Amino acid sequence: MAISFFGNALTPWSALFASALLALAVLKISRKRPTYPLPPGPPKRPLIGNLLDLPTNYEWLTYTKWAKQYDSDILHVSGAGKDIVILNSVETTKDLLEKRSANYSGRPTFLMGKLMGWDYLFSSMPYGDAWRERRKLFQKHFHPTKPETHRPIETEYVRKLLPELLEHPQDFMALFRHLIGATTLVLAYGLDIKLVNDPYVHLADDSMRPLIEAIVPGAFLVDLIPALQYVPEWFPGASFKRKAREWKAMTMVFRSKPYEAAKKAILEGRAKPSFTSMCLDRDSETNKPEFNEDVIRDTASMFFAGGSDTVLAALYTFILSMLCHPDKQAKVQEEIDRAIGHDRLPDYSDEPNLPYLSACIRESFRWRPTTPMSVPHCSEADDVYNGYFIPAGSIMIANLWNMMHNEAEYPNPEEFLPERHIDENGKINKRIRDPMSLAFGFGRRVCPGEHMARSTLYLTAASILSLFELRKPVRNGVVVEPTKEYLSAIVCHTAPFECDFKPRSEAAVRLIRSIAE
């Protein structure tokens, strides 16, 4: 991998590459040798370390295999001098990322993301004043204790989804993508976002897709060897520079275009209440917003960038799990019928009376995690944990896949078993760890929009299953089985699959059509 990147001919740039590796090696050697050993991991080669061993897809499966091979919950690998520490258990992850959060709340600098222009997102910022200011602003307006700030919009767009799903069930994946995109963009900007073919949703999707590819550790060599950022675009193997330039242009449009449109709509009095409108509400004495406009604009874009893809991936997995387990689907629908009946749609007040639905949502998060590896943290200073040395600047990766497929905590982990989350009284079993509590991050970097993601997923799942039966399609007398394949990325989506959405009754059809009137 490292050799073929520059070919075999000796050139000034291959010399630069070799020099960068040598400098890294000298720097590592010159550091004071630690008293404690590094965590176990695959043997390292001179200069390049484990650069050739690092997986390029489905990384969590390789890390899970290594955890068993080296019989350790904490592993160490290196790529051309960059330390990577993999955490394979809940206990180890919480010990470091939560109990020692002062040292492990940083984010590694992913140069590819920076070259693409995404370094303004507070989810990727280093732990510091700029990050705190943006997070404070987000939480001020969308605190978990203020559901009225987001649930009406979520309800509006879930209701808009149902007639579209009735008329165009074959387009369910695109409809779900627009549902989640529209909800987050309306919450952020208050614009009139369409549920189908909205240009702002398409802009956000097109901007985010490359980022999802880029933030996987090791996806681009420049993240391991920073000197490569100075290689010109035309050089063989430097196509990442051209990609970064093209992607950055889209990023900058997404950063500014919806925000400027929101400001115009607010000025003209046609915007819905939103994060942007609340932030730009000027103080009567100073006639200025409370926060700098750059902070407001950047935080607004975080709504889509920070949560939409995760929620969408979780929704796809929930639908797939219900499709593949019709007995579980039928049990959810029996529960909905008992608690709600047939003459109205579910709302948020019904959630406590739908524990089996909640169990299915939890189990879908565990069965096929939306983020098999959490967004990496970074160690600020040298540390010692359980007799192992963790160097400063290490990329810290929590392997959620291994945690959620831990046989000791979740027996028969490959089976979809919502019943594992239900206690003897038919309620949610508090003794079983909620997988969703792991999916949204750790310590000071936990996702501030977790409560919004949970409420959107609940209402969408409850509404769909109250009205539709999910069936495997039949083509020419043959049942079309879903592949259950997933695409390898930091946010893991199902591969496209087919699903027939059949109204459960004529009453369901009438209820759906009444929404559209």
Side-chain angles (χ1 to χ4, degrees):
M1 178 178 176
I3 297 174
S4 63
F5 185 87
F6 284 101
N8 296 320
L10 184 61
T11 70
W13 295 110
S14 60
L16 171 65
F17 179 70
S19 298
L21 287 178
L22 182 60
L24 285 168
V26 170
L27 179 64
K28 298 286 284 185
I29 294 171
S30 64
R31 289 179 58 180
K32 183 179 180 180
R33 298 185 64 84
T35 305
Y36 297 91
L38 293 167
K44 298 168 178 61
R45 297 174 178 83
L47 297 182
I48 63 172
N50 300 112
L51 189 61
L52 303 181
D53 303 313
L54 294 177
T56 57
N57 54 41
Y58 303 103
E59 298 88 344
W60 50 93
L61 299 181
T62 298
Y63 297 154
T64 296
K65 181 184 73 174
W66 286 347
K68 294 177 181 177
Q69 179 179 347
Y70 297 102
D71 191 25
S72 178
D73 289 344
I74 182 170
L75 303 170
H76 177 274
V77 293
S78 69
K82 177 64 80 173
D83 296 290
I84 302 173
V85 176
I86 301 136
L87 310 174
N88 283 295
S89 71
V90 175
E91 179 183 12
T92 299
T93 301
K94 287 185 175 291
D95 280 350
L96 294 176
L97 305 190
E98 293 190 350
K99 294 179 182 178
R100 303 188 189 184
S101 61
N103 190 46
Y104 294 100
S105 293
R107 287 283 194 236
T109 299
F110 287 117
L111 272 176
M112 190 61 184
K114 186 175 182 179
L115 292 173
M116 293 165 61
W118 283 107
D119 50 328
Y120 73 88
L121 291 178
F122 76 77
S123 61
S124 60
M125 282 182 172
Y127 185 74
D129 291 341
W131 174 84
R132 276 188 287 266
E133 186 177 27
R134 286 156 176 79
R135 187 180 179 94
K136 177 183 176 183
L137 179 58
F138 183 97
Q139 290 190 310
K140 175 182 177 181
H141 294 290
F142 288 95
H143 196 272
T145 61
K146 299 194 292 186
E148 68 278 2
T149 58
H150 60 94
R151 287 185 173 182
I153 296 297
E154 293 166 2
T155 301
E156 175 186 348
Y157 276 86
V158 170
R159 299 291 187 258
K160 287 181 176 180
L161 165 74
L162 301 172
E164 294 291 338
L165 203 52
L166 178 65
E167 297 299 325
H168 308 286
Q170 71 281 0
D171 297 330
F172 75 95
M173 298 191 88
L175 289 172
F176 289 168
R177 178 172 291 280
H178 263 74
L179 161 71
I180 303 303
T183 303
T184 54
L185 290 173
V186 172
L187 286 170
Y189 302 108
L191 300 172
D192 183 18
I193 302 293
K194 304 172 186 176
L195 188 62
V196 179
N197 292 325
D198 185 88
Y200 288 109
V201 175
H202 287 308
L203 170 64
D205 274 341
D206 292 343
S207 301
M208 279 298 300
R209 200 169 295 117
L211 177 64
I212 298 300
E213 176 184 342
I215 61 176
V216 177
F220 288 92
L221 203 57
V222 67
D223 287 319
L224 298 176
I225 308 175
L228 297 182
Q229 67 184 298
Y230 304 111
V231 173
E233 283 186 26
W234 54 261
F235 199 82
S239 61
F240 74 91
K241 293 288 292 287
R242 175 184 53 78
K243 288 181 178 180
R245 174 174 50 81
E246 294 172 353
W247 290 341
K248 184 174 183 178
M250 284 194 300
T251 301
M252 293 300 101
V253 173
F254 171 63
R255 185 184 189 186
S256 60
K257 188 173 182 177
Y259 179 73
E260 294 302 323
K263 287 176 63 178
K264 182 179 179 182
I266 292 167
L267 188 64
E268 295 173 355
R270 54 183 176 82
K272 295 180 180 180
S274 68
F275 171 82
T276 301
S277 67
M278 288 187 287
C279 290
L280 292 177
D281 185 19
R282 297 176 181 272
D283 185 281
S284 59
E285 295 181 6
T286 65
N287 197 35
K288 293 181 180 179
E290 181 182 357
F291 287 82
N292 180 285
E293 275 208 56
D294 286 345
V295 175
I296 297 171
R297 179 198 60 206
D298 294 350
T299 307
S301 69
M302 187 68 209
F303 277 74
F304 190 95
S308 62
D309 213 48
T310 304
V311 176
L312 179 63
L315 183 54
Y316 286 162
T317 292
F318 177 80
I319 296 299
L320 180 64
S321 66
M322 294 292 96
L323 180 65
C324 294
H325 304 91
D327 56 326
K328 315 298 184 187
Q329 179 186 164
K331 192 169 179 179
V332 173
Q333 290 170 330
E334 290 171 6
E335 180 180 70
I336 290 173
D337 293 345
R338 285 195 308 272
I340 298 170
H342 303 277
D343 58 353
R344 69 174 180 88
L345 291 171
D347 60 32
Y348 292 106
S349 66
D350 296 311
E351 187 172 9
N353 299 320
L354 301 173
Y356 193 75
L357 171 63
S358 296
C360 286
I361 294 173
R362 291 184 181 206
E363 181 67 355
S364 65
F365 262 82
R366 187 211 62 80
W367 180 58
R368 293 293 181 265
T370 57
T371 50
M373 302 183 302
S374 67
V375 179
H377 290 224
C378 181
S379 61
E380 300 292 338
D382 290 347
D383 195 12
V384 175
Y385 175 73
N386 282 357
Y388 293 124
F389 175 68
I390 300 176
S394 295
I395 298 174
M396 311 295 295
I397 299 175
N399 183 5
L400 300 184
W401 176 274
N402 194 57
M403 299 177 205
M404 295 187 189
H405 287 75
N406 177 5
E407 293 187 10
E409 189 161 14
Y410 305 110
N412 304 313
E414 277 300 314
E415 293 187 36
F416 183 82
L417 297 173
E419 289 76 11
R420 72 172 87 242
H421 304 284
I422 299 293
D423 66 17
E424 58 277 7
N425 298 314
K427 304 296 183 183
I428 290 293
N429 191 342
K430 302 295 186 181
R431 299 188 300 273
I432 302 298
R433 190 191 312 276
D434 177 6
M436 296 174 74
S437 69
L438 305 176
F440 292 96
F442 300 91
R444 301 178 188 180
R445 304 304 298 235
V446 69
C447 174
E450 176 182 349
H451 59 292
M452 300 164 72
R454 285 179 179 262
S455 62
T456 300
L457 282 170
Y458 155 74
L459 190 64
T460 308
S463 299
I464 289 174
L465 290 187
S466 71
L467 298 169
F468 296 95
E469 182 181 347
L470 313 184
R471 299 179 185 173
K472 297 174 184 177
V474 179
R475 306 283 183 262
N476 299 319
V478 178
V479 176
V480 178
E481 294 287 344
T483 63
K484 300 183 186 179
E485 292 180 1
Y486 277 74
L487 308 177
S488 178
I490 195 78
V491 178
C492 202
H493 286 259
T494 64
F497 64 96
E498 295 184 62
C499 177
D500 282 349
F501 288 74
K502 300 294 185 183
R504 296 182 62 202
S505 66
E506 284 300 319
V509 173
R510 289 193 297 271
L511 185 55
I512 295 170
R513 287 181 174 158
S514 70
I515 300 169
E517 294 175 356

